[in-house]
Structure formats: structure tokens, C-alpha cells
Amino acid sequence: MTALPTLRRQRHPLAAGAAQRRLLAELPLSRSFEAALTASGLEPLRPMGTDVLQLNVGKRCNQTCGHCHVDAGPDRTEMMSTEVVDICLRVLASSGIGTLDITGGAPELHPEFRRIVEAATRLGRRVIDRCNLTVTRLPNYRYVPGFLAEHRVRVVASLPYYQSRQTDAQRGEGVFDASIAALRELNALGYGQPESGLVLDLMANPVGAFLPPEQSAAERDWRRELARRHGVVFNSLLTITNMPISRFLDHLERKGQTHAYLEKLVQAFNPAAAAGVMCRFTLSVGWDGTLYDCDFNQMLDLPVSSPSARHIRDFDPAALGARAIATGPHCFGCTAGAGSSCGGAVA
Ligand code: SF4
Ligand code: SF4
């Protein structure tokens, strides 16, 4: 598997969230995100409550996918500390938040991944693992599929396409074959099988600077082709738009496509998608405990606007509930067409 250097390793200017925000803010777009929200009666964007606590447990990953908004990779060392993990679990226990969504990097590489899953399931919370699939092929992580099944964790697995060429072009040579092997193992454990209750969703993002296909039509294609070619089954396909952040932003810059891609997103703004964006019901925790409206704002170093509750140790539902969500041009990625979120299309 090819491991390209991350932007951080390259000392690339776009490794910094502030530089990304500046670049996006300077684009001469036909409309600002705030103007689009105002026209839809949604400005300022407010949360509707916190249904999901999303932990970004670290930036380490066994892959360096070309579109990664985290700039994750094997050379990243940021990891959530035991102290922050404990605080997150205390917040989960004392709040009514029903779902713990664990992401990274590859979350399974976190040394406390097992403890986090076990604690959250003991609390009766729904747990989601955002799994890149290939991590389960690494010698020390062969336990992961069985462990996830045992704890009835919902798996959301990345697979940008049902063919190897497109998948490997985005995620690295050999990723498709390793992903299929992982999916077959998950299927053998009951994942994606009717009436097993073990949920296996696939997450697909376009292999380029265009919007994702219509989710239900794409799901039919993925289901047919994965079954026919590989005997793989799954529950739902979630489509997600490539966000103009981090490595995909660098890709756009290198191709001279940043303005055209952002303008495409602006033109596809959908007020119904804006009303359902994930930041309205999700709270995102960074590896160091800082709170964000979403994983994307996290990568742009754009914390929640509530000054008294910017760290998980200061978790305050009232202050967080009254905040205005921090938005910017990148938010057009969530509101274009049918919308896009960690749960797929939203409208
Ligand atoms: S997209 Fe996912 S699998 Fe790929 S480098 Fe980023 S975190 Fe890792
Ligand atoms: S990028 Fe984040 S803050 Fe902006 S609309 Fe999407 S989820 Fe909300």
C-alpha cells in the first residue's frame, strides 16, 4: 500500500487550518454561505440538540488517501490522551447523548479504542466505528472485526467505488482488494446480513471534483456490483461530498480547480440540505479535547463559538445549545445538492 507524505510531513502551507480558511475566504464566490443561510431563514445556524458525540481520537492512519480532510497518515502522532478519553466517557454517561461516533485517522489505531467501545456499550449507547477497512488486515488489528461484532458496533466503512482502479487511485494501491477481504470477513460475522442487527454501511465519496451521485441510485449500483463481483453485502450506501479542506483542497489547488469546484457547490446550494446539516445535532471533540461544530471545522481550527465551553472538560449543554455554529465557504460542501454529512445525503 502506498503511503504518501501528509501535508504536515511536507511542511505544506495548507497543513495549517488558518491558511486553508484564508484561501477559501479570498475566493470570489458569487454568494457567501452566510448570505445563502440568510435567504433560507437559517442565519445564524443554530444547533437542534446533541444526539451524537463524535470523537476524533487521533490523526494516525495506515493510509494517506488523496482526498483526506484530516490530513491523516502514518506519520501523524496526535492522539487523544487517557485524561480526555475519560472526560468524554464521563460526559457520555452524564448526558442524554445516545450515540458515540468514533473517527480519526483510523480510530482502531488508538491504544484505548477497545476501552472506549466497551465503556460506551456498557452505558447502553449506540457506537459507530468509522473504519477504513484495511486497518483490519494489519497483524495487530486482526481482532477488530470480531470485537466490533461482539459489541454490536455499527460499522461505517469507506469505499469510494465498487471497482479497484478508482478506489486505489484515491486511497492507495492495494486498498480495494484489502477492503473487499475485510468486507467479506465482516459479512461472515453477520454484518450486513438480513436480521443480524449488525449494521454495515458503506461511505462513498466522488473520485474527483464533482458532486456525489444520487444516493439511492448509487446504492442500487453498489449493491448489485459488490454482490455480483465479490459476494459482498451491506446495509446502506452513504454518499458524501468531497470537502474543500486539507488534502482535497491541495488537490484542487494543484489542478487549478478550487474556484470552479467551490462555485459548483455554491450553485447547488439546497436550503433543505442546509436545514439538516449534521452540525445541528452533532458535537465533535478533537484529539486534545477541543470542541467543534463538526469534524470539518476541526480540521480548519475553527472551534465552537461558545467561549465558556470550548473544551470537553467544560461541557455545558445550555451554553453549547445557545451557540451560533461557526460557518464559512467550506460549508457549501454540506449543502450542495442532496447535502452531505457523516450520515450521507441529508435532503
Ligand atoms: S480518508 Fe480515512 S482512511 Fe484515508 S487517510 Fe484519511 S482518515 Fe485515513
Ligand atoms: S462544514 Fe460543519 S459547520 Fe459547516 S455546514 Fe458542514 S457540518 Fe455544519
Side-chain angles (χ1 to χ4, degrees):
M1 226 169 279
T2 334
L4 303 166
T6 59
L7 296 178
R8 173 67 63 89
R9 168 63 69 87
Q10 295 172 47
R11 298 181 189 280
H12 194 294
L14 289 179
Q20 297 175 49
R21 291 205 311 273
R22 223 171 13 250
L23 190 159
L24 292 168
E26 285 169 1
L27 292 172
L29 299 178
S30 58
R31 195 184 200 191
S32 72
F33 190 71
E34 290 64 37
L37 284 180
T38 302
S40 317
L42 290 165
E43 168 71 10
L45 196 60
R46 301 273 186 201
M48 313 277 282
T50 305
D51 300 339
V52 179
L53 189 68
Q54 187 175 66
L55 306 193
N56 192 311
V57 294
K59 300 194 178 188
R60 202 169 140 227
C61 189
N62 56 312
Q63 293 182 186
T64 40
C65 306
H67 68 292
C68 182
H69 73 272
V70 180
D71 193 27
D75 56 76
R76 300 302 298 256
T77 53
E78 300 92 330
M79 282 279 175
M80 191 173 272
S81 67
T82 298
E83 185 198 353
V84 173
V85 166
D86 286 343
I87 301 171
C88 292
L89 292 173
R90 278 205 295 277
V91 165
L92 199 63
S94 62
S95 70
I97 301 174
T99 300
L100 184 72
D101 184 340
I102 314 172
T103 188
E108 304 84 355
L109 297 181
H110 192 286
E112 302 207 65
F113 176 73
R114 273 184 272 204
R115 181 169 78 91
I116 297 169
V117 171
E118 283 163 355
T121 47
R122 251 197 321 272
L123 289 169
R125 301 305 193 265
R126 288 178 293 275
V127 179
I128 299 172
D129 176 34
R130 296 198 177 266
C131 181
N132 71 13
L133 295 172
T134 60
V135 73
T136 68
R137 305 295 93 192
L138 301 177
N140 291 342
Y141 298 88
R142 296 289 295 116
Y143 80 91
V144 168
F147 173 79
L148 295 174
E150 183 189 341
H151 291 83
R152 308 196 70 75
V153 173
R154 175 181 162 203
V155 175
V156 178
S158 322
L159 193 73
Y161 204 58
Y162 52 74
Q163 288 183 326
S164 62
R165 189 168 56 84
Q166 293 85 341
T167 298
D168 287 3
Q170 184 180 85
R171 298 178 75 79
E173 205 184 319
V175 165
F176 185 79
D177 288 346
S179 301
I180 293 296
L183 288 170
R184 284 190 175 134
E185 184 175 356
L186 288 165
N187 283 169
L189 287 161
Y191 271 103
Q193 306 286 3
E195 293 171 33
S196 72
L198 290 173
V199 179
L200 170 62
D201 293 333
L202 300 183
M203 180 150 262
N205 59 295
V207 188
F210 45 89
L211 287 174
E214 197 270 314
Q215 187 166 273
S216 55
E219 183 178 284
R220 279 193 297 278
D221 292 347
W222 255 250
R223 199 179 297 292
R224 183 188 63 243
E225 295 302 319
L226 285 175
R228 186 173 71 83
R229 296 163 189 250
H230 306 289
V232 162
V233 294
F234 62 94
N235 292 94
S236 301
L237 181 80
L238 315 175
T239 54
I240 187 165
T241 301
N242 284 322
M243 294 298 280
I245 295 174
S246 197
R247 290 214 286 268
F248 191 66
L249 181 57
D250 173 49
H251 166 85
L252 291 171
E253 281 291 279
R254 281 187 283 111
K255 298 270 180 195
Q257 294 176 335
T258 310
H259 180 253
Y261 183 65
L262 264 290
E263 193 56 40
K264 191 181 294 181
L265 300 179
V266 172
Q267 295 304 326
F269 178 79
N270 175 357
V277 281
M278 66 179 174
C279 48
R280 304 194 81 186
F281 52 86
T282 301
L283 189 64
S284 160
V285 190
W287 65 273
D288 62 355
T290 304
L291 297 180
Y292 301 88
D293 299 299
C294 68
D295 205 50
F296 306 125
N297 284 7
Q298 189 176 138
M299 303 314 150
L300 294 174
D301 295 332
L302 199 56
V304 288
S305 61
S306 41
S308 62
R310 284 207 167 159
H311 193 279
I312 190 70
R313 79 170 82 84
D314 304 315
F315 178 76
D316 175 349
L320 288 163
R323 78 192 191 274
I325 291 167
T327 56
H330 62 289
C331 297
F332 280 116
C334 294
T335 56
S340 172
S341 74
C342 288
V346 297

